Amino acid sequence: MSPEELKKLKKREKEREKELYSKECVAQSINFVVSEASDEVTDLNVLDRFSCYLATILARDKEVVAVWLKIVQGRCEIYLSKNFDWLDKDVKYIDNITKYLKNISKNASEISEDTESNFFGNVVSYCSTKLKSRLDKLKNDLKIYASNKYVKSFKDFFSAKVGDTNNTSLILISLVCNKYYKKVEDEFEDESDFPPKFLGHIKKVGSYAKSIKGIIVCARKKQYKSLFSNIKVFKGRPVIINDQPIYSWKNIIKRFIDEDKYKRLMDKCSKKPEVIKRINKVYTDNATQQPSLDDDDVKQCIYLHAEMNILAPLIIDSKIKSRVFIAVSKRCCYLCELYIDFAIKQGYNIVVSGKYRKIYSKWILPHVKDNNFKARSLTYILENLDQIIEKKLEYSVNCDSPDPFDDSDSDYDDGDDEFMEEYTQYHIEKYTLL
């Protein structure tokens, strides 16, 4: 290929990527939720679950963390990725967690109370912002659904377990929520009578105690001693583009509908505050602070999602086609799901911990060494986005429905919880839930 032809090819690639990033924004605005989130994968082995536990305790606040655990010559390699930069406190925390794992594992199967207690304290302190945010949501549920019999049963259960409900340690709250969630799973086949999202909030609060316990129990096992006592951790560098150009809202929409339908669409959008909010978030001019829907000079900050930053450089570039499980602290978005589906069609065996089925703009297409793979994955994602946009626009401009933009949205266990309860007294950060 001549230099001129190569230049044209690269220009064409840039244009297609710009089209992708532009259509992401439109699709998110008009069809944020593609369908219901899929359940978490259940057929996971012990080390898969260990990866999930790590992902939970490594997500400090709003960031997303992905974990791939790889066994190499009798040792454990853990690859970590985050959607944004690793801060100094993140690095220090990861170093501490690594040391705790090594120390717990070296003493397997004895209980290292000091090490495990310090492990508890570090996790709760590091994750306290996110844990409190989840507690706030649960607390709001308890107020809104105060008269619901299941909410009352949770309150009774919680009060019986903690005693003083006015000032309870964060980790004890998490422990009790985890116990209650397991109780519900054991006793109820149908959870539809519970208030919406109530059990989900309990599960998320309980996930910290569950993860801490799961990590300690796994690290204590003699059969994993060589793995965790020789653990190595690798942190991936984030990929961020601060000023990716995108086409205007109107430019993309009018590729699908004519001017008359565009006006009808905008009329319906104007009656949907959540849609307008999503549109304005992308297309507001920074200088005037006014929405500019026909300006082709819009720029977006986009970034590579955490799971993609493991999948592309470590799995696809290395052509690893054996089973790979990637644990993610948050279910993967719809665009990540599409990319993974494409990779699976190419013979890769990728498993992730749940799918969110939501479209997020600011998503970067992973760049892999195989240009053909990259080009075909881009085509695959664009085709799916086109179908979503076309279907939603057709419905919204032709249907008289008042709501065309409706966005209706067995655990590993080994041993009991007594050893955890011993440590809750040492960690004094408190929260009043009831």
Side-chain angles (χ1 to χ4, degrees), residues 102-348:
K102 287 182 177 180
N103 289 336
I104 293 170
S105 187
K106 283 177 181 177
N107 295 320
S109 57
E110 297 177 6
I111 297 176
S112 308
E113 291 190 3
D114 289 343
T115 300
E116 293 177 10
S117 178
N118 290 334
F119 176 68
F120 259 75
N122 265 257
V123 172
V124 174
S125 176
Y126 183 78
C127 298
S128 61
T129 300
K130 193 162 192 172
L131 177 51
K132 286 177 181 176
S133 172
R134 290 176 167 179
L135 280 167
D136 289 343
K137 292 178 181 179
L138 177 57
K139 190 171 185 175
N140 191 50
D141 287 343
L142 299 179
K143 290 179 181 178
I144 294 174
Y145 305 107
S147 60
N148 182 277
K149 64 179 181 179
Y150 297 113
V151 171
K152 289 180 179 178
S153 78
F154 170 76
K155 288 181 176 180
D156 292 341
F157 182 90
F158 185 84
S159 299
K161 292 291 184 183
V162 305
D164 181 8
T165 61
N166 291 320
N167 207 16
T168 313
S169 71
L170 290 177
I171 192 58
L172 182 55
I173 295 175
S174 179
L175 176 61
V176 173
C177 285
N178 185 47
K179 285 184 174 182
Y180 182 80
Y181 186 78
K182 288 197 292 185
K183 179 175 181 289
V184 170
E185 281 193 313
D186 292 340
E187 296 179 4
F188 292 86
E189 290 186 7
D190 182 9
E191 300 171 358
S192 60
D193 289 338
F194 283 81
K197 298 187 177 181
F198 174 60
L199 281 180
H201 291 153
I202 290 176
K203 181 181 181 181
K204 287 179 178 179
V205 170
S207 67
Y208 295 93
K210 176 182 176 180
S211 297
I212 294 170
K213 173 190 172 183
I215 289 170
I216 291 176
V217 167
C218 191
R220 279 185 189 170
K221 290 183 176 293
K222 282 187 176 181
Q223 63 262 45
Y224 302 131
K225 185 170 184 175
S226 63
L227 296 182
F228 296 123
S229 59
N230 296 294
I231 195 170
K232 291 192 71 175
V233 177
F234 303 89
K235 296 181 290 294
R237 297 181 64 180
V239 178
I240 303 170
I241 300 175
N242 289 311
D243 54 356
Q244 169 64 43
I246 62 170
Y247 294 112
S248 71
W249 159 270
K250 191 171 185 178
N251 181 313
I252 296 298
I253 294 292
K254 292 196 69 177
R255 297 184 188 194
F256 295 88
I257 57 177
D258 60 25
E259 181 66 26
D260 181 59
K261 289 181 178 179
Y262 178 78
K263 290 178 180 177
R264 285 157 58 190
L265 170 73
M266 295 310 298
D267 180 61
K268 288 194 174 183
C269 285
S270 67
K271 298 171 184 175
K272 298 294 295 180
E274 66 274 20
V275 175
I276 291 297
K277 182 179 179 181
R278 291 198 292 265
I279 292 173
N280 289 345
K281 189 172 182 179
V282 175
Y283 301 100
T284 293
D285 185 283
N286 290 329
T288 65
Q289 290 302 302
Q290 295 296 317
S292 181
L293 303 185
D294 56 359
D295 182 1
D296 272 327
D297 193 32
V298 179
K299 290 183 173 61
Q300 277 269 83
C301 173
I302 59 177
Y303 56 90
L304 189 61
H305 284 201
E307 55 270 58
M308 297 293 100
N309 207 6
I310 287 177
L311 177 57
L314 299 177
I315 312 303
I316 293 175
D317 280 350
S318 300
K319 299 190 182 300
I320 298 174
K321 295 201 173 181
S322 56
R323 181 184 182 275
V324 170
F325 176 74
I326 301 174
V328 192
S329 60
K330 184 177 182 179
R331 289 173 175 173
C332 72
C333 75
Y334 182 67
L335 296 174
C336 287
E337 179 185 346
L338 285 178
Y339 191 86
I340 291 169
D341 286 346
F342 177 80
I344 290 172
K345 292 177 188 292
Q346 312 313 307
Y348 290 90

Side-chain angles (χ1 to χ4, degrees), residues 28-39:
Q28 175 187 273
S29 298
I30 65 175
N31 202 108
F32 179 44
V33 181
V34 177
S35 61
E36 290 186 6
S38 64
D39 291 334

Side-chain angles (χ1 to χ4, degrees), residues 379-392:
T379 298
Y380 180 78
I381 294 172
L382 277 171
E383 287 173 350
N384 279 272
L385 280 179
D386 283 348
Q387 290 174 14
I388 289 171
I389 295 171
E390 187 172 13
K391 182 178 179 181
K392 198 69 174 182

Side-chain angles (χ1 to χ4, degrees), residues 394-411:
E394 181 181 359
Y395 178 78
S396 64
V397 297
N398 294 324
C399 179
D400 292 329
S401 166
D403 194 14
F405 298 104
D406 184 21
D407 280 339
S408 309
D409 188 18
S410 100
D411 292 331

